[in-house]
Amino acid sequence: MSHGSEGAPPFRLIPVIDLRRGQVVRARAGERDAYAPIDTPLARGSRPADIARALLDAVGTDHLYVADLDAIMDGVEPDRASLEAVASACPGVRLWVDAGFSDFSAVERFTRLGLGRPVIGSESQRDAGLVRALGNRTVLSLDSRGAERLGPDALHEEAEAWPEDVIVMTLARVGTGTGPDLFGISRAVALGQHRRIYAAGGVRGPEDVAALAQAGAKGALVASAIHDGRLR
């Protein structure tokens, strides 16, 4: 699903799945320890391949964002079996995968699998070095929880370090239906200049999509609004 006037790049909706112990879980307000296996009218059960296919079909896109919570929270290797199942069930899909990458070797190991584009979350970084070194090979996620910016200030402030695709991830709004962080998006758009800025957290429906596009975002990461039928 995309929105845009003639000649303008479309606004891209990117469905999200959160993986925990081989299942898709329902994210809410960034309280990861409380996430439970998802219950959705779009598919039976919580198998990653089934949920991914249902989300992609619902909004008609070829991008999917995967948060591997075991890797992010526990420091384990990415869930290769789940990612391979998703890739097999969704041929042609472009996966953006956040697996808590914090060093170059981990990114290299993942890249060799050929299972998607790594997402570098600011919450997992000690400094801006990895983001600067990898450049446009990755997507940067600028993570925050409430008023707290997660990770080094340099990543939030120094846009020259950013790759071409940047996510503004407001964890406290995820799954809450409280609306996106339009101020944070506008700030990132202004700082990033030519970068493509994506919103994550709080998107409720078409009105929020329109507001984000007006603020200069190029897309949004969405899950709850698709499961609940507010975005199709």
Side-chain angles (χ1 to χ4, degrees), residues 4-227:
S5 60
E6 186 175 352
F11 188 96
R12 174 172 284 134
L13 289 180
I14 302 178
V16 174
I17 61 172
D18 292 274
L19 300 180
R20 185 72 164 153
R21 300 185 178 95
Q23 299 182 82
V24 177
V25 293
R26 188 75 177 249
R28 194 168 298 279
E31 302 295 335
R32 291 167 175 159
D33 286 330
Y35 290 2
I38 198 162
D39 182 12
T40 173
L42 299 182
R44 296 180 62 182
S46 56
R47 291 175 52 196
D50 295 341
I51 303 299
R53 181 72 270 164
L55 288 170
L56 292 165
D57 287 346
V59 294
T61 184
D62 62 354
H63 281 65
L64 180 74
Y65 176 95
V66 181
D68 185 334
L69 299 180
D70 296 310
I72 294 170
M73 298 169 64
D74 303 330
V76 299
E77 289 293 303
D79 183 351
R80 180 173 179 176
S82 292
L83 292 171
E84 288 178 340
V86 169
S88 178
C90 309
V93 68
R94 301 176 184 180
L95 297 180
W96 287 4
V97 180
D98 185 348
F101 302 112
S102 60
D103 61 69
F104 192 80
S105 62
V107 174
E108 286 292 289
R109 288 195 303 274
F110 176 75
T111 301
R112 285 196 292 270
L113 298 177
L115 290 172
R117 189 175 176 191
V119 175
I120 307 300
S122 67
E123 66 173 325
S124 301
Q125 309 309 303
R126 295 180 298 275
D127 54 43
L130 183 64
V131 172
R132 291 182 182 276
L134 292 169
N136 290 330
R137 293 173 57 188
T138 64
V139 178
L140 171 63
S141 179
L142 296 174
D143 305 321
S144 65
R145 181 175 283 107
E148 179 188 7
R149 300 191 302 190
L150 304 179
D153 286 340
L155 281 178
H156 292 271
E157 295 290 346
E158 298 171 14
E160 66 272 13
W162 297 357
E164 62 188 2
D165 291 303
V166 179
I167 299 164
V168 176
M169 176 72 70
T170 53
L171 289 167
R173 295 174 184 252
V174 169
T176 64
T178 53
D181 179 11
L182 293 173
F183 176 81
I185 289 295
S186 297
R187 177 184 179 278
V189 168
L191 274 177
Q193 299 180 358
H194 64 280
R195 274 87 173 176
R196 293 185 290 266
I197 306 299
Y198 299 85
V203 176
R204 296 164 292 193
E207 296 82 2
D208 286 334
V209 168
L212 286 167
Q214 183 67 30
K218 299 303 182 186
L221 278 58
V222 184
S224 294
I226 304 174
H227 289 294

